[in-house]
Amino acid sequence: MLEIGSRAPEFTLPDQNGNLHSLKDYLGKKVILYFYPKDNTAGCSKQACGFAERYPQFTEKGAVVLGISRDSVASHKKFEEKYSLPFTLLSDADTSVIQAYDVWHEKKMAGKTYMGIVRSTYLIDENGVITRALSSVKAADNPQQMLEML
């Protein structure tokens, strides 16, 4: 994880509609930047729906929610439509941003070792500085946890 108090790495990635988003576009707002393994899986769907349910509360507090995974723009679009997600999903197919935020690690499942995204969430302040960094978060609890941190 990146250190609290450090500047969040700048990025530009396409969203579920193919539009480009840069972190600098959100200066002046709090950013909840969450990294998740895969669209349309049980945990990731729970987490996304939790953020969607609380989205009005996040916006009331001046925060935007950005979800990032390796999934394609098309996959993100289907995920957004399936669950009526009101926030932006960003596609990082080459994992450059995922790696910059130090959430790309060796994982083990069913006796196999592979590289993958560790479910993690950053809270970035209005000036682009990391104020919270949470690793290995529980998908179902993370949205409420982030709301309380605001």
Side-chain angles (χ1 to χ4, degrees):
M1 295 294 298
L2 300 178
E3 286 192 34
I4 292 172
S6 65
R7 180 153 294 287
E10 180 55 48
F11 61 80
T12 301
L13 292 172
D15 70 8
Q16 66 268 34
N17 299 307
N19 300 317
L20 293 177
H21 292 256
S22 297
L23 184 59
K24 65 183 174 204
D25 299 340
Y26 298 98
L27 286 174
K29 293 186 177 204
K30 293 178 184 124
V31 176
I32 295 166
L33 188 65
Y34 84 96
F35 293 86
Y36 65 99
K38 189 150 182 59
D39 290 342
N40 289 304
T41 57
C44 296
S45 297
K46 233 179 236 176
Q47 187 178 23
C49 289
F51 278 118
E53 287 168 23
R54 294 164 181 82
Y55 193 71
Q57 293 162 282
F58 287 120
T59 57
E60 279 174 22
K61 294 181 182 249
V64 297
V65 176
L66 303 175
I68 298 181
S69 78
R70 291 181 62 203
D71 294 300
S72 68
V73 168
S75 175
H76 280 344
K77 187 66 181 171
K78 288 178 190 164
F79 191 43
E80 173 207 32
E81 289 174 347
K82 181 176 182 179
Y83 293 103
S84 300
L85 302 177
F87 55 87
T88 301
L89 299 173
L90 300 171
S91 175
D92 185 19
D94 70 1
T95 72
S96 59
V97 176
I98 291 163
Q99 290 184 54
Y101 279 83
D102 194 29
V103 297
W104 185 250
H105 293 278
E106 190 174 275
K107 297 171 89 176
K108 291 182 181 178
M109 186 165 66
K112 292 186 178 184
T113 302
Y114 62 98
M115 293 301 290
I117 295 174
V118 174
R119 191 183 307 278
S120 305
T121 307
Y122 286 96
L123 179 58
I124 301 167
D125 74 9
E126 296 87 345
N127 300 310
V129 175
I130 296 168
T131 58
R132 296 292 183 124
L134 306 170
S135 182
S136 301
V137 299
K138 289 189 176 11
D141 300 339
N142 186 231
Q144 183 61 36
Q145 184 181 35
M146 295 313 294
L147 189 58
E148 290 168 6
M149 286 182 182
L150 288 173

